[in-house]
Amino acid sequence: GTFLVLADGRFERLEREPPTRVLAMEGQVVYVDDQGRLKVFLAEDRKLHLLRTRPVEHVRHAGQRVVWQAADSMFTLREGRVHFLAAQVSRFDVADSLVVYHDSVRQELVVLWRGNVVPIAEVQQGSERPQWRTASNTVTFFDRSSRKLFLFEAGRVVVLTDSTDVGIVANGGGITGYWDDVSDRFMVREKGISRPASEMRPVSAKAGAGLLAFVDGNGALRCWQEGRLHLVTRNMPTDYWVQDSLLMYLEDGGLHLFRPEGSITVEPYVPERWLASGGLVVYLN
């Protein structure tokens, strides 16, 4: 039950009881101990720091960024020190290059990006929880009253379409897929340009780092990558996942990995467990 960390070839014992949550990042490990306290171990000085003595409500991380909420306030960790981000926070999400949150007092959806505070939309009083999706460097927001879909990217907010369904939108790193009711097409936006990817409403869509996968109206799995549309499977896969730059799918009882030059079979069966991250797949055979 002892909790240890391996850093620079040496083990450090941090806790006698297992933590309830662990976030491992380059050079540091942030975790919530068995009493709900938030702590960080810094590999550089091999020291353990207590970030908060009282339990935290939510802790999220992406890349090297970790953010947590205490009451209605939001904090982050920079160079081993706690920094206040915002107050009156109802909900928040974290990406590699930004933080997005709902300001419950001003009723605004706000993005923190490169030291700037950018309100991107108003949230109507009495409405349901605001619907947004966050990727590594983008945020999409659906306005229920006008049915418009907005995109925040590189410090700017643009309207993707004047009419859409929020259920058919997927944004990843540098790429966004969405259904446009005006043109009656499924569109993909990449490098600031929107192009049609399908004339049929997709069953589902998922996006990663420069990669957009979707099941079209005929049940075929397709993938948009580097300006090209690829046919992955002619029939609907049992399931599929997009993680970072990888597209994995289940078909005919096996686990497969998409490649533009041709998909490969990872195993002819479904592994009991697997993990995909940063272009790497690890699984238990």
Side-chain angles (χ1 to χ4, degrees), residues 157-192:
V157 179
V158 297
V159 178
L160 290 179
T161 175
D162 292 329
S163 180
T164 189
D165 181 350
V166 72
I168 308 296
V169 59
N171 49 313
I175 192 169
T176 303
Y178 60 97
W179 177 256
D180 187 349
D181 276 344
V182 178
S183 63
D184 209 27
R185 291 178 176 178
F186 183 61
M187 308 292 292
V188 56
R189 181 182 176 88
E190 188 179 31
K191 297 180 180 179

Side-chain angles (χ1 to χ4, degrees), residues 84-102:
F84 171 79
L85 289 180
Q88 291 88 45
V89 177
S90 174
R91 283 196 304 149
F92 73 95
D93 203 357
V94 182
D96 293 341
S97 61
L98 54 84
V99 178
V100 57
Y101 68 95
H102 176 203

Side-chain angles (χ1 to χ4, degrees), residues 48-249:
L48 183 64
H49 301 271
L50 179 63
L51 300 178
R52 182 171 173 82
T53 57
R54 296 181 181 180
V56 295
E57 284 78 4
H58 305 286
V59 183
R60 293 186 175 91
H61 94 291
Q64 288 295 105
R65 186 191 304 271
V66 58
V67 179
W68 65 91
Q69 184 177 352
D72 66 347
S73 297
M74 188 170 60
F75 303 87
T76 190
L77 185 66
R78 295 177 188 155
E79 299 178 350
R81 296 184 178 182
V82 177
H83 289 262
F84 171 79
L85 289 180
Q88 291 88 45
V89 177
S90 174
R91 283 196 304 149
F92 73 95
D93 203 357
V94 182
D96 293 341
S97 61
L98 54 84
V99 178
V100 57
Y101 68 95
H102 176 203
D103 188 321
S104 59
V105 174
R106 296 184 178 181
Q107 290 298 315
E108 290 179 333
L109 191 63
V110 182
V111 172
L112 304 179
W113 179 76
R114 293 187 177 182
N116 298 313
V117 180
V118 185
I120 62 173
E122 294 183 358
V123 180
Q124 293 181 346
Q125 291 279 359
S127 65
E128 300 176 16
R129 300 203 309 179
Q131 295 180 345
W132 77 77
R133 295 175 188 261
T134 309
S136 61
N137 59 353
T138 60
V139 178
T140 52
F141 173 76
F142 177 66
D143 188 332
R144 292 183 182 85
S145 61
S146 64
R147 291 183 55 82
K148 290 184 178 181
L149 180 66
F150 298 88
L151 171 70
F152 173 87
E153 186 176 28
R156 296 175 58 245
V157 179
V158 297
V159 178
L160 290 179
T161 175
D162 292 329
S163 180
T164 189
D165 181 350
V166 72
I168 308 296
V169 59
N171 49 313
I175 192 169
T176 303
Y178 60 97
W179 177 256
D180 187 349
D181 276 344
V182 178
S183 63
D184 209 27
R185 291 178 176 178
F186 183 61
M187 308 292 292
V188 56
R189 181 182 176 88
E190 188 179 31
K191 297 180 180 179
I193 301 175
S194 294
R195 299 183 179 92
S198 176
E199 294 184 354
M200 294 179 290
R201 188 185 186 89
V203 177
S204 62
K206 301 175 183 181
L211 183 150
L212 173 69
F214 63 96
V215 176
D216 67 16
N218 290 327
L221 177 61
R222 299 182 182 275
C223 175
W224 182 286
Q225 188 177 35
E226 296 181 352
R228 294 182 57 194
L229 184 64
H230 304 269
L231 175 63
V232 183
T233 65
R234 295 188 180 278
N235 299 317
M236 184 179 295
T238 305
D239 206 344
Y240 72 102
W241 302 266
V242 174
Q243 179 63 43
D244 298 332
S245 60
L246 296 179
L247 166 58
M248 305 180 69
Y249 60 95

